[in-house]
Amino acid sequence: MPIIENPQYSHPHLMFNGHMQTLFPAVFRNPKRLRFDRERISTPDGDFLDLDWLSAGRNKLVIISHGLEGNSQRPYMAGMAKVFFDKGYDVLNWNFRGCGGEINKKPVFYHSGASYDLAAVVSHAQRKYQNLYLIGFSLGGNLTLKYLGENHGKQQEKIRKAVTVSVPLDLGGSSDLISKWENRLYSLNFLISLKQKIRQKALIFPELIDVEKLKTIHTLRAFDDQYTAPLHGFVDAEDYYRQSSSLYFLDKIKIPTLIINAENDPFLSKTCYPKTLGNQMELVYMEFPKNGGHVGFSPRTRKERYWSEKRALEFIEMENYR
């Protein structure tokens, strides 16, 4: 306890492996468009974050964080937002720095350990709500868990529960796995987008960013070594992974929290399924279904909810999860 045994997820028959369960919903899911209201807030260091709201004046709010090179409008974000909004929650989908459609002002951008930006979002949101719930996907899940394991004082008093999906708890192991030959499609896709952001940044900060290094970068670890780490005050990629991996913050989380990682997730290394640690946790629940892919969990029929959305709602609404 609290490893949740025998998770009840059944994948569509045609999606028979982790790659298909990852790619099909990412490419073909087309959820109903929602009428978000955008708000821009300033960060303590003089940058900005773009927040997208579904608000009906309720007293409980779900804050949802996206994954690497995602944004607030991705299908998995909109799908989760709709489920909770329809059940009586206000929803805030926020964009990491540089992910809302406009490059941010500072040389830094977002990264897996940038919990200070989630802290800014929570601080802004809690002024209007008595009950906050956090949900994070992939990188956003790591960010959420790290934030919850840190001491942010009274700022966290209104946070009741959290759910994270497809989380690279061990950033180093996952970075190396996604760069293996069988997963190169994913890493190349991320690198194309990340390299373009570096080129945009270099136009604004040419004295800080050397785009020539991009020619030698073919893995996410190399990108983090040359750009993410030095831009954000880390010695190198390994130092960045060590300081930012949420695996090392789980034992300090003080609210009921659910981690959902499919065992066939092509992004997650074996160290992202810490069953021994999970059995020692009192408030961090771990659920490792055999199938689901990465941010997948497609339903078997179109009339059903995505399983991750169903589980998130169940966990947040069930009273017996302290």
Side-chain angles (χ1 to χ4, degrees):
M1 168 62 180
I3 294 289
I4 300 175
E5 301 292 346
N6 303 315
Q8 299 301 307
Y9 170 65
S10 182
H11 65 89
H13 291 305
L14 294 179
M15 300 181 197
F16 52 82
N17 64 25
H19 296 296
M20 296 186 74
Q21 292 164 23
T22 297
L23 292 170
F24 266 74
V27 175
F28 296 110
R29 187 179 186 184
N30 187 26
K32 181 180 179 181
R33 292 190 64 84
L34 303 173
R35 296 175 65 100
F36 287 96
D37 294 318
R38 176 155 291 192
E39 178 187 20
R40 177 167 291 185
I41 64 171
S42 297
T43 60
D45 65 345
D47 213 336
F48 67 88
L49 297 169
D50 286 330
L51 318 182
D52 287 340
W53 293 85
L54 289 174
S55 180
R58 287 104 173 221
N59 68 351
K60 51 187 180 180
L61 175 73
V62 176
I63 300 174
I64 310 179
S65 304
H66 62 77
L68 179 64
E69 287 303 277
N71 58 57
S72 63
Q73 303 300 310
R74 287 292 170 90
Y76 60 86
M77 294 285 287
M80 187 68 78
K82 185 178 188 308
V83 165
F84 277 89
F85 190 70
D86 288 348
K87 290 294 289 186
Y89 297 77
D90 281 2
V91 178
L92 168 55
N93 286 10
W94 69 289
N95 297 276
F96 303 158
R97 298 192 193 208
C99 293
E102 182 180 336
I103 199 72
N104 61 302
K105 297 177 181 179
K106 295 291 183 177
V108 300
F109 44 106
Y110 72 95
H111 64 81
S112 296
S115 50
Y116 44 80
D117 279 345
L118 179 54
V121 173
V122 171
S123 178
H124 178 73
Q126 68 170 348
R127 301 170 191 171
K128 296 193 297 182
Y129 295 90
Q130 291 301 311
N131 301 288
L132 301 180
Y133 304 88
L134 304 185
I135 297 177
F137 292 94
S138 194
L139 183 151
N142 185 81
L143 196 72
T144 298
L145 294 171
K146 179 177 179 286
Y147 167 78
L148 290 173
E150 296 169 336
N151 182 8
H152 291 268
K154 291 186 177 181
Q155 182 189 101
Q156 294 177 328
E157 288 182 352
K158 294 182 179 181
I159 302 173
R160 308 306 179 199
K161 291 183 182 178
V163 176
T164 59
V165 181
S166 302
V167 189
L169 299 171
D170 175 16
L171 296 171
S174 295
S175 178
D176 292 338
L177 179 64
I178 202 174
S179 295
K180 288 190 174 182
W181 177 254
E182 63 269 24
N183 296 323
R184 287 288 286 163
L185 174 65
Y186 309 116
S187 61
L188 286 173
N189 183 60
F190 286 135
L191 284 171
I192 289 170
S193 182
L194 289 167
K195 287 181 177 182
Q196 181 57 30
K197 285 187 174 176
I198 287 296
R199 294 187 184 98
Q200 291 177 307
K201 286 281 188 183
L203 294 176
I204 306 171
F205 304 101
E207 72 284 1
L208 296 177
I209 300 175
D210 179 9
V211 295
E212 289 300 311
K213 294 179 181 178
L214 290 175
K215 298 176 183 178
T216 66
I217 291 176
H218 305 292
T219 66
L220 287 175
R221 181 179 281 269
F223 180 88
D224 289 335
D225 207 46
Q226 293 294 332
Y227 291 104
T228 308
L231 281 172
H232 298 94
F234 301 101
V235 175
D236 53 20
E238 191 58 37
D239 181 47
Y240 160 52
Y241 296 150
R242 185 173 57 254
Q243 292 197 49
S244 302
S245 291
S246 57
L247 182 64
Y248 308 118
F249 294 82
L250 299 182
D251 61 344
K252 300 176 183 66
I253 293 177
K254 296 180 175 61
I255 62 167
T257 298
L258 175 63
I259 300 171
I260 302 172
N261 281 354
E263 290 184 356
N264 68 348
D265 189 324
F267 289 31
L268 303 186
S269 63
K270 292 181 180 180
T271 45
C272 295
Y273 308 91
K275 293 184 179 181
T276 300
L277 177 63
N279 284 320
Q280 300 169 1
M281 299 282 98
E282 294 185 5
L283 292 173
V284 179
Y285 296 78
M286 299 183 185
E287 194 161 13
F288 303 141
K290 293 185 181 300
N291 291 282
H294 190 76
V295 192
F297 302 101
S298 297
R300 300 191 69 173
T301 69
R302 292 186 178 181
K303 294 182 179 180
E304 294 179 276
R305 290 174 177 161
Y306 274 66
W307 185 79
S308 52
E309 297 164 3
K310 176 184 174 182
R311 285 295 295 126
L313 185 62
E314 286 175 349
F315 183 82
I316 284 176
E317 296 209 318
M318 286 183 71
E319 294 182 2
N320 61 331
Y321 291 115
R322 288 180 284 176

